[in-house]
Amino acid sequence: MADTQGRGDPADGRARRILVVGASAAGLAAVETLRGEGYDGTLTLVGAETRTPYDRPPLSKQVLGARWEPERLALRAQAELDGLGLDLRLGVAATALDAAARTVLLADGTRLSYDGLIVATGVRPRRLPGEGAHVLRTVDDALTLRERLGHGRRLVIVGAGFLGAEAAAVARRMGTEVTLLEPAPVPLAHAVGEEVGRVFSAAHLEHGVDLRTGVTVTEVTEDGVRLAGGELVDADEVLVTIGCVPNTGWLEGSGLKVADGLVCDQYCAAGPGVYGAGDVARWYNPLFGTSMRIEHRTNAAEQGVTAAYNLLHPEARRPFAPIPYFWSDQYDMKVQAFGHLRGHDEIVVVEGEMSERRFLAIYRTGDRLAGALAVGMPPKAMRPWRQAIAMGTSWHEAIRAWAWATDADAKEIVHGEPSF
């Protein structure tokens, strides 16, 4: 069936319909911002899942570990959603976009017209050949897996990124035997550096995880997984955490540019009247001078706000230039990081000791301070480094300020590369 409501243009204040595809943290932030900014036209929120918007980070921690039940994940109470006056369509995915005609086709055959569109369709987990493996993206994923963990059970996790590492820590606490398989020599080295990756590796080994690096899994079998050399690693359950793919398939043929995500400019704009937000969006971050796509909860909400504001106020658009932030819990380690750590050239520990798993490290990319990561440190320890990153502080200036603040020998640091 077709939707025949009239259309206007958000730019001239006569928008009659704005469509947000993706009932996610980003999508929720977008609709709340639109209403908060005074938009009173038809506001449709489409979601492929039947649940109202919920928080995903606790899935691999509190929900998988049976510390939380799903009800606690809801980002807003039903009464709050009702107060937004949404045309809420859950349990139905978007299947196609005609950007020229400004219409979106849904899986149930409904065709929705729009004046403004925000794409917040997130990502989906990558999978391996074979049947029976778990992934961890939805509430149902977490509940199904947790029912099969516990004492005497054997779990193989393919992929030792943050999601796999968090799941391994939870499973060990539940008494499950865990084998963690990773193709890289050092887990998470691409994201946080080899030195920090070794810290996480040591923690898993000490907690009884059978961590195997430099191995490639080719398929999931009835009895576990098979490695590239033919070896079979036995398991009762298999969890695949090898990254995600942006949900952009429904945008094929739309005319919008897609390249590892919906390509957007610094304002989160992807095309006339179309903006992207959250995990699905690849945008140019002017603070770091590079294009990035970030799969972190904080970024999703912040980008949803900016996309909605810019859609509604094209004459006063503001760049989306955040300092990326993420956190992780593994055993007794509390990890938090600010900045753009990938592709860094150098890491320096400025507080604490890596060997004690209580430290703060800063990251250099080129000649600038690009990021900071802390393990087991109070949030206030990160504040000055976050501010320095926001100011675009050079590496030389950051190291010099740290040296003088800590009464370190600043002579070599001021006049050249630091010597530690």
Side-chain angles (χ1 to χ4, degrees), residues 2 15 50 70 149 164 170 221 269 278 305 374 381 407:
T50 57
L149 300 180
V170 170
T221 73
V305 170
D407 293 325

Side-chain angles (χ1 to χ4, degrees), residues 176-214:
T176 307
E177 295 180 19
V178 177
T179 299
L180 186 56
L181 305 176
E182 168 62 37
V186 179
L188 288 167
H190 67 290
V192 298
E194 289 191 4
E195 301 96 324
V196 178
R198 291 192 187 98
V199 172
F200 298 145
S201 297
H204 287 294
L205 292 171
E206 289 182 13
H207 283 83
V209 172
D210 179 7
L211 174 62
R212 306 185 195 181
T213 59

Side-chain angles (χ1 to χ4, degrees), residues 39-313:
Y39 174 70
D40 59 2
T42 300
L43 183 53
T44 301
L45 179 62
V46 174
E49 292 187 58
T50 57
R51 296 178 184 272
T52 57
Y54 63 88
D55 214 9
R56 295 187 191 275
L59 294 178
S60 60
K61 309 176 187 71
Q62 292 89 346
V63 175
L64 184 61
R67 292 182 172 182
W68 287 13
E69 292 305 316
E71 293 72 20
R72 191 168 174 180
L73 298 176
L75 290 173
R76 297 292 182 271
Q78 187 61 52
E80 294 175 295
L81 292 176
D82 292 342
L84 293 172
L86 301 175
D87 171 19
L88 187 59
R89 308 198 184 200
L90 299 178
V92 57
T95 58
L97 166 66
D98 185 335
R102 295 201 175 193
T103 61
V104 169
L105 178 65
L106 304 185
D108 64 2
T110 302
R111 191 175 297 275
L112 299 175
S113 61
Y114 65 84
D115 306 315
L117 170 67
I118 296 177
V119 177
T121 44
V123 296
R124 64 185 183 279
R126 296 181 185 275
R127 296 179 182 268
L128 288 169
E131 301 293 332
H134 298 269
V135 292
L136 194 49
R137 178 66 184 173
T138 68
V139 170
D140 291 339
D141 292 338
L143 294 177
T144 298
L145 179 57
R146 90 178 188 186
E147 290 177 357
R148 301 178 185 181
L149 300 180
H151 291 279
R153 302 290 291 173
R154 299 170 302 167
L155 173 67
V156 163
I157 301 177
V158 184
F162 280 110
L163 181 60
E166 290 172 356
V170 170
R172 285 301 297 138
R173 192 181 70 242
M174 298 171 73
T176 307
E177 295 180 19
V178 177
T179 299
L180 186 56
L181 305 176
E182 168 62 37
V186 179
L188 288 167
H190 67 290
V192 298
E194 289 191 4
E195 301 96 324
V196 178
R198 291 192 187 98
V199 172
F200 298 145
S201 297
H204 287 294
L205 292 171
E206 289 182 13
H207 283 83
V209 172
D210 179 7
L211 174 62
R212 306 185 195 181
T213 59
V215 297
T216 300
V217 177
T218 58
E219 65 174 332
V220 178
T221 73
E222 293 182 358
D223 302 310
V225 298
R226 190 174 303 282
L227 305 185
E231 178 186 353
L232 180 65
V233 181
D234 293 329
D236 299 309
E237 305 295 335
V238 175
L239 172 62
V240 177
T241 59
I242 55 174
C244 293
V245 179
N247 285 322
T248 56
W250 67 286
L251 300 176
E252 292 181 7
S254 67
L256 300 180
K257 185 176 180 180
V258 172
D260 185 33
L262 174 63
V263 177
C264 304
D265 64 14
Q266 63 180 332
Y267 302 105
C268 305
V274 181
Y275 287 75
D279 297 2
V280 72
R282 171 170 291 282
W283 90 105
Y284 179 81
N285 186 333
L287 180 61
F288 293 90
T290 189
S291 175
M292 57 180 65
R293 185 178 66 81
I294 297 177
E295 297 176 15
H296 299 311
R297 168 71 172 79
T298 303
N299 184 81
E302 292 176 348
Q303 197 164 22
V305 170
T306 299
Y309 180 89
N310 288 343
L311 171 63
L312 206 58
H313 304 294

Side-chain angles (χ1 to χ4, degrees), residues 280-409:
V280 72
R282 171 170 291 282
W283 90 105
Y284 179 81
N285 186 333
L287 180 61
F288 293 90
T290 189
S291 175
M292 57 180 65
R293 185 178 66 81
I294 297 177
E295 297 176 15
H296 299 311
R297 168 71 172 79
T298 303
N299 184 81
E302 292 176 348
Q303 197 164 22
V305 170
T306 299
Y309 180 89
N310 288 343
L311 171 63
L312 206 58
H313 304 294
E315 75 293 342
R317 295 192 304 174
R318 51 197 187 199
F320 184 55
I323 301 173
Y325 170 72
F326 71 85
W327 72 96
S328 178
D329 295 328
Q330 298 176 40
Y331 307 109
D332 59 348
M333 296 185 297
K334 301 291 183 181
V335 183
Q336 54 182 327
F338 286 103
H340 188 53
L341 279 54
R342 292 175 183 264
H344 62 268
D345 298 309
E346 183 180 1
I347 303 175
V348 172
V349 175
V350 295
E351 189 172 348
E353 297 288 342
M354 284 192 182
S355 60
E356 298 176 1
R357 293 178 200 150
R358 187 180 184 278
F359 65 91
L360 193 158
I362 57 174
Y363 291 70
R364 175 178 68 84
T365 299
D367 62 354
R368 71 169 291 173
L369 174 67
L373 179 144
V375 175
M377 302 293 291
K380 65 179 182 180
M382 292 284 278
R383 290 171 190 160
W385 296 106
R386 184 188 186 283
Q387 182 178 7
I389 295 167
M391 294 173 63
T393 304
S394 73
W395 180 254
H396 184 79
E397 292 171 333
I399 288 292
R400 180 171 57 182
W402 165 71
W404 286 114
T406 57
D407 293 325
D409 183 358

